[in-house]
Amino acid sequence: MKKLLLLAALFCISQASAQTPNTNRPRLVVGIVVDQMRPDYIIRYWNKLGNAGFKRILKEGFNCRNTQYNYAPTYTGPGHASIYTGTTPSMHGIAGNDWFDVAANDTVYCASDEKVTAVGGEGREGMMSPSRLLTTTITDQLQLSTQMKAKVVGISLKDRGAILPAGRSADAAYWFDGKTGNWISSTWYMNSLPKWAQDFNERKWSEEYLSQPWKTVLPINYYTESDPDDSPYEALFRGETKPVFPHDLPALRGTSFDLLRRTPFGNTLTKDFGLAAILGEQMGADSITDFLCLSFSSTDYVGHQYGPNAIETEDTYIRLDRDMADLLTFLDNRIGKGKYLVYLTADHACMENPKHMMDHKIHAGFVPSAGIEDSLRSLLNRTYGHPEYIRCFINDQVYLHEDKILADKNDICAIEATIARYAKDHIQGVYLGLTSCDLETESYDDMIRQRIQNGHFHGRSGNVWLVYAPGWTERLYGGDGTQGTTHGSPYAYDAHVPLYWFGWNIPAGSSTDLVNITDIAPTLSFLLNITLPNGCTGNKIDALVK
Ligand code: ZN
Ligand code: ZN
Ligand code: ZN
């Protein structure tokens, strides 16, 4: 009997210890977004990479190989918001980079805010905040879980890439001012830049990076994973006659610093400012977990201009690999191996260049976008006598003047359906038209319709969504609109992105199980043992959280 009691007692103790929650947390989380990164790049460029950057992340960390965006439009603003809120635009409200906002009766930008002013700069570049973000981020939840004692900082060349990840309760977000070459912020966060940021700006790195030409970091004949340097699918820097190395940045830059965005040095500047923030803000220095949100934007600018098969794009990733190695080595030394958690993903990927596809007999094309608004106006003129019911066409969505339609006692849903049917039947390259009346009431079984529904936010999204066929788009970057690449669709080429985890409590391994982009934030909630973001619709990644 005694033995039995002893056994029962031991059993209880072991049960109790099994149920004791793990209260350990990493000292620092570094969330990395690589703007426009496709999952195939690292494999394609593998032999050109060093051992301390992407290769180290993949060898020591965990690779979620089948990570997908579960909504459209696959743009930068919605992408960053969804990674950090664990939900889709239908919930967090970041329905595009720009959208027509019914409440504001105007086209708005996802991060603009008339109520705040620039800090460290001046003008509209600084009038930015997360005020249009409607649900909490994982970074907000960390603040709430630590009585706001965690340090949360967002950094990106793009304001929206810094602001949306850091959340509304962030200590700071910093972005690049192309007029001055400085990192700036807004009065949403602070009244003046901290000394470390002022000191960084005073070093004039932007000036230095633009004072020399962009040459390939390896001999140019090593770039065998890309098309020849002078390819018809690449757009030009203004002032160049061929899209070839070396790119003479001092001659091309003009008086502003915006050109820096379009070179891999914009990423290096972002990394260096991130390291300065870790030092300046003492991030990861105590037992309260801090969170640094880094977003590398130059990959997107370079990608749009040159496309996925260009030496310029390959060189940008080879250089980014070196930036990653610098970052990890710095974190090892400053925070300590195993004491920090890193994850890396993308805010969307990108399409193959349609002209490149057509030249190889693959079905693809350009939707004749210039005529879409006009043809829909004449449709509404013919059927209702009211061409002015069409308000605008943004993000492949038709916005209607609902107030006028209601005043005329016409049926909004019927007009939407007329437009959707007409677009599908008469506009080349349109695969599907979806109406807001259907999106707000139906439930769908097929993935493409579900993705549109997840991206639809009433009052911010349009009345009719035009979904183009796979491989089709309106226009690409600059020039005649057929060069480089773009993104925004619900298809795998835009929606399939890398997701790597590395460091604190992350096992080595990989998985091809489907992971939605909205699963990142809840996985972080379980890893950090903090509450889920308040609009979270994702789920934890089983391989990482038992
Ligand atoms: Zn982007
Ligand atoms: Zn080129
Ligand atoms: Zn882009």
Side-chain angles (χ1 to χ4, degrees):
M1 189 63 189
K2 260 187 187 169
K3 253 187 189 171
L4 263 179
L5 275 176
L6 188 64
L7 270 175
L10 277 173
F11 182 72
C12 286
I13 289 166
S14 69
Q15 281 286 300
S17 65
Q19 286 172 5
T20 303
N22 179 4
T23 53
N24 288 330
R25 288 177 187 162
R27 285 181 169 249
L28 177 66
V29 182
V30 182
I32 299 173
V33 179
V34 180
D35 205 309
Q36 206 189 103
M37 183 172 175
R38 301 194 336 187
D40 61 313
Y41 286 153
I42 291 314
I43 306 307
R44 256 163 84 179
Y45 307 147
W46 188 259
N47 292 332
K48 308 288 156 50
L49 304 179
N51 288 319
F54 285 113
K55 277 187 181 170
R56 179 175 170 206
I57 294 175
L58 284 184
K59 281 180 180 162
E60 297 177 27
F62 197 90
N63 183 357
C64 295
R65 294 175 58 203
N66 189 12
T67 301
Q68 305 253 354
Y69 275 80
N70 50 345
Y71 66 83
T74 41
Y75 294 141
T76 298
H80 284 79
S82 300
I83 293 165
Y84 282 85
T85 59
T87 189
T88 58
S90 59
M91 186 74 83
H92 61 58
I94 303 299
N97 290 333
D98 304 273
W99 62 80
F100 183 84
D101 198 280
V102 171
N105 194 30
D106 203 358
T107 304
V108 300
Y109 172 64
C110 62
S112 67
D113 187 345
E114 300 291 320
K115 295 196 184 79
V116 302
T117 54
V119 169
E122 55 186 31
R124 302 208 69 80
E125 277 81 356
M127 295 171 69
M128 301 289 167
S129 87
S131 66
R132 299 185 203 281
L133 182 62
L134 304 179
T135 65
T136 63
T137 54
I138 185 66
T139 38
D140 286 325
Q141 296 303 145
L142 179 63
Q143 294 281 39
L144 291 166
S145 299
T146 60
Q147 298 75 51
M148 306 291 157
K149 287 186 197 133
K151 273 261 155 68
V152 173
V153 176
I155 292 171
S156 172
L157 295 181
K158 293 184 182 178
D159 47 62
R160 58 191 181 279
I163 287 169
L164 298 170
R168 295 176 64 131
S169 64
D171 293 281
Y174 301 96
W175 54 96
F176 185 69
D177 179 357
K179 280 197 299 218
T180 61
N182 285 337
W183 291 94
I184 62 170
S185 188
S186 82
T187 50
W188 178 278
Y189 306 99
M190 61 187 82
N191 292 315
S192 63
L193 291 184
K195 186 166 183 309
W196 65 264
Q198 291 178 25
D199 290 347
F200 189 96
N201 284 337
E202 273 160 27
R203 301 282 294 276
K204 305 280 178 210
W205 291 110
S206 307
E207 192 75 57
E208 185 160 331
Y209 283 125
L210 288 175
S211 70
Q212 45 210 321
W214 174 14
K215 299 176 186 158
T216 52
V217 69
L218 302 174
I220 198 160
N221 58 334
Y222 282 33
Y223 290 68
T224 48
E225 295 74 23
S226 300
D227 283 345
D229 194 14
D230 188 5
S231 127
Y233 313 112
E234 298 176 23
L236 299 171
F237 277 126
R238 191 192 302 253
E240 279 190 344
T241 52
K242 283 185 170 186
V244 297
F245 284 99
H247 297 287
D248 189 358
L249 305 182
L252 298 169
R253 61 167 286 195
T255 52
S256 91
F257 294 85
D258 275 317
L259 191 68
L260 188 58
R261 299 172 188 273
R262 307 184 177 284
T263 74
F265 312 115
N267 286 336
T268 306
L269 187 76
T270 306
K271 180 263 299 177
D272 284 337
F273 192 69
L275 303 191
I278 293 172
L279 291 173
E281 298 294 339
Q282 300 276 310
M283 297 183 84
D286 61 23
S287 61
I288 297 170
T289 303
D290 297 323
F291 207 126
L292 177 65
C293 314
L294 282 178
S295 175
F296 293 93
S297 312
S298 291
T299 38
D300 182 68
Y301 292 108
V302 173
H304 277 292
Q305 183 166 340
Y306 293 99
N309 297 303
I311 292 177
E312 282 81 354
T313 301
E314 183 170 356
D315 192 61
T316 299
Y317 280 91
I318 292 171
R319 289 175 183 271
L320 181 64
D321 179 55
R322 297 175 180 204
D323 289 329
M324 287 301 142
D326 277 359
L327 174 64
L328 296 183
T329 306
F330 175 91
L331 292 171
D332 283 350
N333 294 333
R334 174 77 185 174
I335 315 291
K337 277 187 190 175
K339 293 185 179 160
Y340 62 89
L341 169 65
V342 173
Y343 63 95
L344 183 150
T345 187
D347 56 342
H348 50 77
C350 71
M351 73 188 313
E352 294 291 332
N353 179 293
K355 190 159 187 318
H356 182 255
M357 300 277 270
M358 289 187 274
D359 288 347
H360 291 88
K361 301 184 228 169
I362 299 171
H363 187 245
F366 292 97
V367 179
S369 64
I372 289 183
E373 256 188 88
D374 285 346
S375 67
L376 295 180
R377 284 209 172 89
S378 52
L379 168 74
L380 291 199
N381 193 29
R382 286 196 304 278
T383 46
Y384 295 91
H386 288 290
E388 78 283 6
Y389 283 172
I390 305 276
R391 190 199 292 261
C392 55
F393 183 60
I394 305 173
N395 302 332
D396 314 334
Q397 296 160 42
V398 184
Y399 289 75
L400 297 175
H401 273 291
E402 293 197 11
D403 42 357
K404 288 186 183 172
I405 296 170
L406 289 172
D408 290 347
K409 299 203 166 33
N410 273 322
D411 180 350
I412 290 170
C413 292
I415 294 172
E416 288 182 352
T418 304
I419 293 170
R421 174 133 207 114
Y422 173 87
K424 186 175 147 91
D425 289 345
H426 296 281
I427 300 174
Q428 192 188 17
V430 172
Y431 165 72
L432 184 65
L434 282 171
T435 68
S436 79
C437 288
D438 281 350
L439 288 166
E440 289 167 24
T441 52
E442 296 288 316
S443 88
Y444 298 112
D445 292 330
D446 74 293
M447 192 175 73
I448 297 303
R449 284 176 177 80
Q450 280 175 353
R451 286 183 176 183
I452 302 299
Q453 193 166 44
N454 286 339
H456 181 83
F457 187 97
H458 183 84
R460 295 187 177 188
S461 300
N463 293 81
V464 182
W465 290 65
L466 303 189
V467 182
Y468 303 142
W472 286 67
T473 190
E474 287 176 56
R475 60 177 285 119
L476 302 173
Y477 178 89
D480 65 358
T482 65
Q483 291 145 337
T485 185
T486 194
H487 49 84
S489 83
Y491 300 116
Y493 51 79
D494 286 336
H496 185 200
V497 290
L499 175 59
Y500 313 143
W501 300 80
F502 176 88
W504 182 85
N505 272 9
I506 300 298
S510 74
S511 164
T512 52
D513 290 350
L514 176 67
V515 170
N516 288 318
I517 202 69
T518 47
D519 297 342
I520 294 173
T523 300
L524 285 164
S525 287
F526 284 102
L527 283 169
L528 301 179
N529 237 318
I530 62 177
T531 40
L532 294 156
N534 66 6
C536 183
T537 51
N539 206 345
K540 68 183 176 62
I541 300 169
D542 287 339
L544 296 176
V545 187
K546 293 287 181 276

